[in-house]
Amino acid sequence: MIRVHHGRDGWVTRAGGWGCVAAMGVLVMGLALGGCSSKKPAGAGANGLNGNGMNENGMNGTNGSSLSGMQNGTLGQNQQGPLSDIHFGYNDSAIQAQDSEVLKANAAWLTNHPQSRVQIEGHCDDRGSEEYNIALGARRAQAAKDYLATLGIGADRMSTISYGKELPLCSDETDDCWAQNRRDHFAVSQ
Amino acid sequence: MGMMKRQVLALALTIAAIAIPAMARAQIRIDISKGATAQPIAVSGFKNLGGDDDHAISGAFDKILMRDLKLSSYFRIIAPKSYIENPDSSGYDIGQFNFADWSSLGADFLVKGAITRHGNAVTVEALLFDVAQQRRMMGKKFSGDPQDVGEMARRFADAILLAATGIRGPFDTKLAYVSTRGGRFKEIYTSWLDGGALFRVTDNPTINLFPSFDRNAQHLLYLSYKTYSPELYLVDLSQQVETRIPATLGQAVGGTLTPDGRIVAGFQRGGRTNLYLLDLSGNEIRALTDNGAINVSPSACGDGSSFTFTSDRGGTPQVYVGTLDGGDAHRVTFAGSYNTAPAFSPDCKKIAYESRQPGGFQIFVINADGSGARQLTQSGSNEAPTWSPDGRYIAYSSGRGARSRILLMRALDGYVIGPLTEGESNDTSPSWSGWLGD
């Protein structure tokens, strides 16, 4: 049995304030003695000590993002929301011809829902290094954002994020599964 | 123990070399230029000179020393149950024990020593012998706290490798990696290289990636989605203070610490990912790449002058080398269409990387000038190499999907020594620190 000592994100944070100074003394014992960062239920919008769960675009993890889906255990269970995913070729970020209709439909929905904002998530299949795939996913998200902009959607309503290969919809080592995972997902918030 | 306390204690640990008579030059030497066969070594129980009557100190020292000697791949431990002499009734230095008791077991090398404990003050005297020549090769005297015994053993293992191979061993070091062992989320962990003192750095149910140590494992950089946006965090492990690196250059993609304590990080803006040199507060020193491609996975070489990274500026992801003063980068890999995750060797002469091959990814090593590419792993899928500070070993993640382990291999010949992590979790993205002690 390996004893695990826990940092538990209980670091004093310079950028995010002084959240957890008091817990420092007990952290060394590796026990969950309450402290600042006690385990939160997955999917409850839980986040680390030094974040308030909101990114610069005001999107948090509870608004139908793939990350909240992963936390809830619902990722891959038809959580499409009002907008449809688009898909990419291997190591490619070009919008495919058959997806231009999907993007037009997504743009039409956004035009009809002017109060809604969208976070475009870029995803990759599980082949290749994690870091390169985060950059590749960013490029895929940007490709959809650029396309929607040409259809009249304001850039201020769109944000992008890449999850690289971290949030796959399926985990089989097959061409079909890899193709499903190479996607942009559109998470909508009001 | 918390990290801070441990490091304070580590400072209290003192080491003295035990003088070796000039005539007693080592005659036995392990040639590491070839794939060496493991040499038989006996690790005798240490003589109790007072205070270690239950052999708790001796047992803890021996356990870690033997684990490290096995991980070195240069030694085969002769089973202690076959040992003839009783360490507490015999002596531990030249003239006080019988070499025949050890040569008859087939031992080429012998470790003996003695332990004294007074309350919380422990002294360990450890000696390495050349059995055939009946000579003392090396000796160390460690003084410290009972909790320092593991570190004493790691430093002695490093000294044994120096005496037997001419190069200091890599065991007084830490490993950081990503693991799902705490549940289904990827969290950052650190431990000694041999697995001791497993420490969980993050606990947020999101995604935590790419831990990177600086040279003496004082700082750890990592990427986390804990604010629902990817950002870089720098932990000062001795002060237990974490700094969030400001995202002024774009959305963080990943980063690394240079050996001299700066940050090289990738930020994406508009689908372009470029690399920047930052200070430890996250202030930009200069841009290292400036183009419309993907530039990621930086790894600085030991002298802090140059770095290697992945770029697809030529159409496919390939390995490049650039300088930290901002000079132009040159391409290193040309074979294959997908070469990523490069890691510079500490001497700046070689680069390990992963290359897409039929059936999976494999670890390669290439000279920094682009010559001499060699495939080190042959089967399965093997990714994310990191070098030992002595440049002899590479740790990497092996496996696919939800089950991956950190494995250790020799850089010279790709000989797989064994796993550095245990259990059924998904362990990836290893980062090997430099030596913690002097």
Side-chain angles (χ1 to χ4, degrees):
Chain A
M1 189 64 187
I2 301 171
R3 249 182 92 193
V4 183
H5 303 273
H6 291 251
R8 294 198 159 274
D9 274 353
W11 313 106
V12 180
T13 306
R14 284 178 181 139
W18 296 76
C20 195
V21 183
M24 283 297 112
V26 297
L27 287 170
V28 297
M29 299 310 292
L31 299 173
L33 298 176
C36 56
S37 175
S38 58
K39 194 89 180 172
K40 301 179 183 83
N47 53 72
L49 166 69
N50 11 275
N52 59 6
M54 305 288 284
N55 69 14
E56 60 191 6
N57 300 301
M59 178 76 72
N60 69 27
T62 61
N63 280 332
S65 75
S66 296
L67 181 51
S68 65
M70 188 267 275
Q71 293 174 319
N72 295 328
T74 58
L75 183 66
Q77 294 173 18
N78 196 23
Q79 299 271 308
Q80 273 301 327
L83 305 184
S84 298
D85 289 3
I86 60 170
H87 298 88
F88 296 88
Y90 176 70
N91 194 23
D92 198 357
S93 57
I95 303 293
Q96 303 188 100
Q98 65 269 27
D99 280 335
S100 59
E101 294 306 316
V102 177
L103 287 171
K104 283 171 188 162
N106 286 351
W109 189 93
L110 287 166
T111 302
N112 292 331
H113 297 79
Q115 302 306 311
S116 293
R117 299 165 54 84
V118 62
Q119 185 175 51
I120 307 169
E121 305 173 353
H123 297 269
C124 305
D125 70 34
D126 76 347
R127 295 170 294 173
S129 68
E130 294 165 310
E131 203 163 329
Y132 178 80
N133 275 310
I134 289 179
L136 178 62
R139 204 185 252 168
R140 287 175 175 163
Q142 186 68 33
K145 183 182 177 186
D146 290 346
Y147 197 103
L148 291 174
T150 66
L151 297 174
I153 307 303
D156 58 341
R157 297 175 60 196
M158 297 186 283
S159 64
T160 60
I161 189 169
S162 174
Y163 292 111
K165 60 190 234 184
E166 303 305 321
L167 299 176
L169 296 177
C170 54
S171 55
D172 305 328
E173 300 282 312
T174 62
D175 287 340
D176 279 353
C177 177
W178 287 323
Q180 278 188 62
N181 288 332
R182 292 190 301 267
R183 69 197 191 276
D184 276 349
H185 178 69
F186 300 85
V188 171
S189 64
Q190 294 305 313
Chain B
M1 294 300 298
M3 297 292 288
M4 183 163 64
K5 196 73 188 301
R6 277 223 60 83
Q7 296 200 351
V8 171
L9 288 171
L11 294 176
L13 190 162
T14 62
I15 309 174
I18 296 170
I20 307 294
M23 56 167 287
R25 294 284 302 276
Q27 300 295 305
I28 190 165
R29 187 90 159 188
I30 298 176
D31 182 0
I32 58 170
S33 66
K34 314 176 180 64
T37 53
Q39 305 293 304
I41 187 169
V43 179
S44 170
F46 279 34
K47 188 178 179 71
N48 174 24
L49 296 183
D52 192 32
D53 297 332
D54 56 358
H55 295 286
I57 302 288
S58 173
F61 187 94
D62 285 359
K63 185 179 171 196
I64 290 174
L65 178 63
M66 287 194 268
R67 163 88 171 144
D68 288 350
L69 292 176
K70 279 184 204 166
L71 286 176
S72 79
S73 81
Y74 297 129
F75 297 101
R76 175 173 62 79
I77 314 276
I78 297 172
K81 62 176 182 288
S82 66
Y83 297 173
I84 296 161
E85 71 163 42
N86 178 344
D88 278 332
S89 58
S90 73
Y92 61 94
D93 206 347
I94 292 281
Q96 301 168 353
F97 66 91
N98 193 348
F99 275 105
D101 287 345
W102 300 100
S103 57
S104 66
L105 300 176
D108 287 350
F109 296 91
L110 169 65
V111 171
K112 289 183 76 66
I115 286 170
T116 312
R117 177 177 184 172
H118 295 294
N120 276 336
V122 172
T123 300
V124 175
E125 209 175 331
L127 301 163
L128 177 69
F129 297 95
D130 173 342
V131 174
Q133 298 289 326
Q134 303 196 3
R135 283 178 180 162
R136 204 166 74 184
M137 296 175 69
M138 179 273 291
K140 298 278 181 195
K141 189 170 184 178
F142 301 94
S143 301
D145 194 277
Q147 295 164 96
D148 292 334
V149 167
E151 201 168 341
M152 297 175 189
R154 293 177 187 104
R155 294 189 188 188
F156 190 61
D158 285 358
I160 289 176
L161 260 67
L162 177 62
T165 72
I167 299 174
R168 179 186 186 180
F171 299 110
D172 184 24
T173 58
K174 295 253 176 166
L175 190 74
Y177 56 97
V178 173
S179 178
T180 58
R181 61 191 54 229
R184 57 198 179 90
F185 301 102
K186 287 187 170 182
E187 306 281 3
I188 312 276
Y189 291 77
T190 65
S191 72
W192 290 104
L193 185 81
D194 50 45
L198 185 63
F199 181 81
R200 182 169 173 170
V201 177
T202 63
D203 184 6
N204 61 77
T206 61
I207 305 163
N208 302 282
L209 299 168
F210 315 135
S212 170
F213 274 127
D214 59 359
R215 180 174 280 151
N216 61 3
Q218 187 190 345
H219 294 100
L220 183 78
L221 184 77
Y222 67 97
L223 184 81
S224 177
Y225 286 74
K226 60 187 168 185
T227 65
Y228 294 93
S229 188
E231 294 188 89
L232 286 166
Y233 298 85
L234 181 73
V235 179
D236 183 330
L237 290 163
S238 61
Q239 300 297 315
Q240 298 197 321
V241 172
E242 179 169 279
T243 305
R244 180 162 27 164
I245 304 301
T248 50
L249 295 163
Q251 223 167 33
V253 170
T256 191
L257 287 168
T258 66
D260 61 346
R262 292 180 290 176
I263 296 169
V264 180
F267 294 93
Q268 79 86 15
R269 181 171 274 162
R272 305 169 168 204
T273 301
N274 279 294
L275 293 165
Y276 299 84
L277 183 65
L278 313 174
D279 66 22
L280 283 187
S281 300
N283 302 309
E284 179 184 348
I285 298 172
R286 68 180 63 89
L288 298 174
T289 66
D290 181 16
N291 55 54
I294 287 174
N295 301 278
V296 286
S297 290
S299 165
C301 84
D303 68 9
S305 67
S306 58
F307 72 110
T308 181
F309 62 103
T310 301
S311 178
D312 72 344
R313 63 183 69 175
T316 58
Q318 299 290 348
V319 175
Y320 288 72
V321 168
T323 59
L324 290 176
D325 63 13
D328 284 342
H330 66 271
R331 183 171 164 178
V332 172
T333 56
F334 290 89
S337 62
Y338 199 117
N339 298 307
T340 58
F344 239 128
S345 67
D347 66 3
C348 309
K349 291 178 179 169
K350 294 181 186 305
I351 296 166
Y353 61 98
E354 61 178 79
S355 180
R356 188 178 180 216
Q357 299 293 311
F361 286 80
Q362 302 301 340
I363 309 288
F364 283 63
V365 169
I366 194 168
N367 296 325
D369 64 4
S371 66
R374 286 184 298 126
Q375 182 172 348
L376 288 184
T377 61
Q378 308 298 332
S379 62
S381 205
N382 304 289
E383 302 191 56
T386 181
W387 293 82
S388 63
D390 62 351
R392 271 187 295 201
Y393 303 94
I394 292 172
Y396 59 103
S397 67
S398 181
R400 298 190 106 147
R403 177 79 175 91
S404 175
R405 292 185 300 175
I406 310 297
L407 294 186
L408 181 69
M409 71 173 161
R410 284 200 300 244
L412 179 71
D413 55 3
Y415 172 76
V416 179
I417 296 165
L420 293 176
T421 58
E422 302 170 2
E424 296 302 309
S425 54
N426 191 34
D427 301 332
T428 53
S429 207
S431 171
W432 200 325
S433 80
W435 285 286
L436 271 74
D438 296 330

